[in-house]
């Protein structure tokens, strides 16, 4: 999961769980997401996974 790129579908902020869509197993699936740093990431922003907490939680940062 680490290194996968996706898109925010639910606002992510410190202390607030958001949601991202990530490509997995030939499809796109939703995962709960937390920011990897203290930043707010709005809906539609491309992100990259920096950590994974099975089964469906990821920590993300903005993708540049």
């Amino acid at each position: 999961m680490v290194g996968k790129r996706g898109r925010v579908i639910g606002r992510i902020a410190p202390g607030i769980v958001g949601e991202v869509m990530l490509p997995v197993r030939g499809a796109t699936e939703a995962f709960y997401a937390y920011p990897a740093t203290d930043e707010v990431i709005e809906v539609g922003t491309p992100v990259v996974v920096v950590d994974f907490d099975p089964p469906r939680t990821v920590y993300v940062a903005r993708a540049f």
Side-chain angles (χ1 to χ4, degrees):
M1 292 299 296
V2 174
K4 287 198 179 277
R5 292 177 173 260
R7 188 162 305 277
V8 176
I9 60 170
R11 185 175 181 259
I12 303 168
I16 299 173
V17 65
E19 197 169 17
V20 296
M21 294 296 285
L22 297 171
V24 180
R25 296 181 289 270
T28 304
E29 297 182 16
F31 288 81
Y32 294 121
Y34 291 95
T37 61
D38 289 337
E39 66 178 325
V40 175
I41 307 173
E42 297 295 338
V43 172
T45 304
V47 293
V48 62
V49 176
V50 296
D51 198 8
F52 174 58
D53 188 17
R56 301 201 67 79
T57 302
V58 293
Y59 295 82
V60 299
R62 291 180 196 272
F64 294 102

